[in-house]
Amino acid sequence: MATSQTEDTAPAEVIETVVNTCPTTSGGTIASTVPVGAVYAEGSALDWGASLVGGTVVLDEKVAPNAPWSAVVKQGHVLTIVDVGGNQSADCLLYDATDPEERYSVPDTLAWQGNAYVRTGTVLRSNEGRPLMTVVANEIDRQDTIGGACGKESNTLRYGHHVMFHHGCRENFLAEASRHGLGVRDLVSNLNWFMNVPVEADGALGIVDGMSAPGRRVAVRAETDVLVLVSNCPQMNNPCNDFNPTPLRMIVVAPSSPATSPDANSQSSSEDAA
C-alpha cells in the first residue's frame, strides 16, 4: 500500500498525561492535561479496510493522526475514506479543481435534499448548486455537515484560554489549502465524516460519542474534477475523536462500472426522502 508523507511509521506509544500551563493576566497559570500532538494509545484496534467500490486503484494513502491531506479526485473516480481506528472525525472541504471559487456549500446541499444529515445517495453540492460529489456507499447511519470545524479560536471560546495552543482542523485546512494557492477567504463550512452530531427535537445540536468503528468507510464519487481537503481532526477536548486520535486511509479508484452521475438540475431519489 502506497503511503503519503503523513504516514505514521513508528509504533504507537501510550501518551503520558502531561500538565501544560498557560500564564494568565493576573500572573497565575491555568493547567491543561490534554496532550499536544496526541496519537492513538498502544493496543488501539486498527482496521485499514479497503475500497468500498471495485476498480483500478489510482491513489492509496495513509493520513497520520492530527495531519492534513489533499488530492484532486478526477470526474467519475471514487474516494473511499476508511475510519481506521473508529470514531475519528475526518473534516472535509471540496472545491471544483478548475475553479476553486466554486466550492462545497452546506446550505445548498441541505436545501436540495431537505434533510440535515448526509447519507448514501446525498449529492454534495456547490455554492452554484451543482453536484461536486455523491455519497455512493456509507457504512454508518449518518454523516455530519453542520458541526463545523475546530480551531484555536473556537477551542479557546469553548474550553478556555489554556487550550489556545492546541491546533485544530482550521489550522490543518489553512496549511493544506496553501499548497493549492488557497487561503483564509476560501474556508467554508465543512463535512465531518464519522462525527456524530445529532439534531434534537428542539433543534439543539451536540457533539457526542460516535457511531463508527475501526474499518468503517464512506465512499464519494466525483461528479467533476474535485480538490478534496481533509483534516484528520486533532480535537482532544470533546468526544468527536473518542479522545484517541487515529489514522485515516484514503483510497481513490477508477470504478470498473461507472455509475450515472446526477443531473445538476435534479435530485436523487434519496434526497427526496427526509
Side-chain angles (χ1 to χ4, degrees), residues 27-44:
T29 59
I30 300 175
S32 171
T33 58
V34 175
V36 179
V39 296
Y40 53 95
E42 184 178 6
S44 296

mmCIF file of all heavy atoms in Angstrom, residues 27-44:
data_model
loop_
_atom_site.group_PDB
_atom_site.id
_atom_site.type_symbol
_atom_site.label_atom_id
_atom_site.label_comp_id
_atom_site.label_asym_id
_atom_site.label_seq_id
_atom_site.Cartn_x
_atom_site.Cartn_y
_atom_site.Cartn_z
ATOM 1 N N GLY A 27 -0.981 36.889 36.484
ATOM 2 C CA GLY A 27 0.300 36.338 36.902
ATOM 3 C C GLY A 27 0.260 34.884 37.311
ATOM 4 O O GLY A 27 1.292 34.280 37.586
ATOM 5 N N GLY A 28 -0.930 34.276 37.336
ATOM 6 C CA GLY A 28 -1.052 32.863 37.678
ATOM 7 C C GLY A 28 -0.972 31.980 36.457
ATOM 8 O O GLY A 28 -0.569 32.419 35.372
ATOM 9 N N THR A 29 -1.364 30.750 36.591
ATOM 10 C CA THR A 29 -1.366 29.817 35.468
ATOM 11 C C THR A 29 -2.633 28.984 35.491
ATOM 12 O O THR A 29 -3.256 28.782 36.545
ATOM 13 C CB THR A 29 -0.155 28.870 35.501
ATOM 14 O OG1 THR A 29 -0.169 28.135 36.728
ATOM 15 C CG2 THR A 29 1.154 29.635 35.362
ATOM 16 N N ILE A 30 -3.030 28.525 34.315
ATOM 17 C CA ILE A 30 -4.140 27.595 34.180
ATOM 18 C C ILE A 30 -3.583 26.311 33.591
ATOM 19 O O ILE A 30 -2.810 26.348 32.642
ATOM 20 C CB ILE A 30 -5.241 28.160 33.266
ATOM 21 C CG1 ILE A 30 -5.795 29.467 33.836
ATOM 22 C CG2 ILE A 30 -6.373 27.152 33.080
ATOM 23 C CD1 ILE A 30 -6.810 30.138 32.925
ATOM 24 N N ALA A 31 -3.954 25.193 34.166
ATOM 25 C CA ALA A 31 -3.387 23.911 33.743
ATOM 26 C C ALA A 31 -4.319 23.181 32.795
ATOM 27 O O ALA A 31 -5.539 23.275 32.885
ATOM 28 C CB ALA A 31 -3.098 23.036 34.959
ATOM 29 N N SER A 32 -3.724 22.471 31.835
ATOM 30 C CA SER A 32 -4.464 21.596 30.934
ATOM 31 C C SER A 32 -3.752 20.258 30.872
ATOM 32 O O SER A 32 -2.541 20.195 30.716
ATOM 33 C CB SER A 32 -4.542 22.204 29.526
ATOM 34 O OG SER A 32 -5.087 21.264 28.616
ATOM 35 N N THR A 33 -4.519 19.182 31.025
ATOM 36 C CA THR A 33 -3.928 17.839 30.947
ATOM 37 C C THR A 33 -4.092 17.229 29.568
ATOM 38 O O THR A 33 -3.767 16.066 29.357
ATOM 39 C CB THR A 33 -4.564 16.905 31.987
ATOM 40 O OG1 THR A 33 -5.977 16.847 31.768
ATOM 41 C CG2 THR A 33 -4.293 17.394 33.406
ATOM 42 N N VAL A 34 -4.627 17.995 28.598
ATOM 43 C CA VAL A 34 -4.792 17.478 27.247
ATOM 44 C C VAL A 34 -3.432 17.429 26.561
ATOM 45 O O VAL A 34 -2.745 18.442 26.456
ATOM 46 C CB VAL A 34 -5.747 18.361 26.432
ATOM 47 C CG1 VAL A 34 -5.819 17.879 24.987
ATOM 48 C CG2 VAL A 34 -7.130 18.365 27.052
ATOM 49 N N PRO A 35 -2.990 16.261 26.114
ATOM 50 C CA PRO A 35 -1.673 16.178 25.464
ATOM 51 C C PRO A 35 -1.666 16.870 24.116
ATOM 52 O O PRO A 35 -2.663 16.890 23.403
ATOM 53 C CB PRO A 35 -1.455 14.666 25.312
ATOM 54 C CG PRO A 35 -2.839 14.086 25.293
ATOM 55 C CD PRO A 35 -3.666 14.963 26.189
ATOM 56 N N VAL A 36 -0.543 17.465 23.775
ATOM 57 C CA VAL A 36 -0.376 18.139 22.493
ATOM 58 C C VAL A 36 0.206 17.142 21.493
ATOM 59 O O VAL A 36 1.166 16.433 21.794
ATOM 60 C CB VAL A 36 0.553 19.362 22.641
ATOM 61 C CG1 VAL A 36 0.731 20.047 21.298
ATOM 62 C CG2 VAL A 36 -0.009 20.329 23.668
ATOM 63 N N GLY A 37 -0.359 17.089 20.289
ATOM 64 C CA GLY A 37 0.145 16.161 19.287
ATOM 65 C C GLY A 37 -0.115 14.713 19.645
ATOM 66 O O GLY A 37 0.673 13.824 19.330
ATOM 67 N N ALA A 38 -1.235 14.461 20.316
ATOM 68 C CA ALA A 38 -1.531 13.111 20.784
ATOM 69 C C ALA A 38 -1.728 12.141 19.630
ATOM 70 O O ALA A 38 -2.233 12.508 18.574
ATOM 71 C CB ALA A 38 -2.783 13.125 21.655
ATOM 72 N N VAL A 39 -1.319 10.908 19.820
ATOM 73 C CA VAL A 39 -1.598 9.836 18.869
ATOM 74 C C VAL A 39 -2.270 8.705 19.623
ATOM 75 O O VAL A 39 -2.380 8.720 20.843
ATOM 76 C CB VAL A 39 -0.308 9.316 18.178
ATOM 77 C CG1 VAL A 39 0.315 10.412 17.334
ATOM 78 C CG2 VAL A 39 0.699 8.807 19.192
ATOM 79 N N TYR A 40 -2.726 7.720 18.880
ATOM 80 C CA TYR A 40 -3.531 6.672 19.475
ATOM 81 C C TYR A 40 -2.745 5.844 20.496
ATOM 82 O O TYR A 40 -1.538 5.657 20.394
ATOM 83 C CB TYR A 40 -4.124 5.758 18.406
ATOM 84 C CG TYR A 40 -3.131 5.185 17.422
ATOM 85 C CD1 TYR A 40 -2.570 3.937 17.612
ATOM 86 C CD2 TYR A 40 -2.777 5.905 16.287
ATOM 87 C CE1 TYR A 40 -1.672 3.409 16.696
ATOM 88 C CE2 TYR A 40 -1.882 5.392 15.366
ATOM 89 C CZ TYR A 40 -1.338 4.151 15.581
ATOM 90 O OH TYR A 40 -0.441 3.632 14.677
ATOM 91 N N ALA A 41 -3.475 5.364 21.494
ATOM 92 C CA ALA A 41 -2.871 4.618 22.581
ATOM 93 C C ALA A 41 -2.420 3.239 22.115
ATOM 94 O O ALA A 41 -2.982 2.659 21.176
ATOM 95 C CB ALA A 41 -3.862 4.469 23.731
ATOM 96 N N GLU A 42 -1.420 2.726 22.758
ATOM 97 C CA GLU A 42 -0.940 1.380 22.468
ATOM 98 C C GLU A 42 -2.073 0.381 22.655
ATOM 99 O O GLU A 42 -2.834 0.458 23.614
ATOM 100 C CB GLU A 42 0.227 1.039 23.399
ATOM 101 C CG GLU A 42 0.864 -0.304 23.116
ATOM 102 C CD GLU A 42 2.056 -0.594 24.024
ATOM 103 O OE1 GLU A 42 2.297 0.216 24.945
ATOM 104 O OE2 GLU A 42 2.723 -1.613 23.796
ATOM 105 N N GLY A 43 -2.198 -0.534 21.710
ATOM 106 C CA GLY A 43 -3.251 -1.537 21.780
ATOM 107 C C GLY A 43 -4.550 -1.122 21.111
ATOM 108 O O GLY A 43 -5.508 -1.902 21.093
ATOM 109 N N SER A 44 -4.613 0.102 20.558
ATOM 110 C CA SER A 44 -5.825 0.540 19.856
ATOM 111 C C SER A 44 -6.102 -0.383 18.667
ATOM 112 O O SER A 44 -5.187 -0.747 17.922
ATOM 113 C CB SER A 44 -5.664 1.974 19.346
ATOM 114 O OG SER A 44 -5.517 2.892 20.400
#
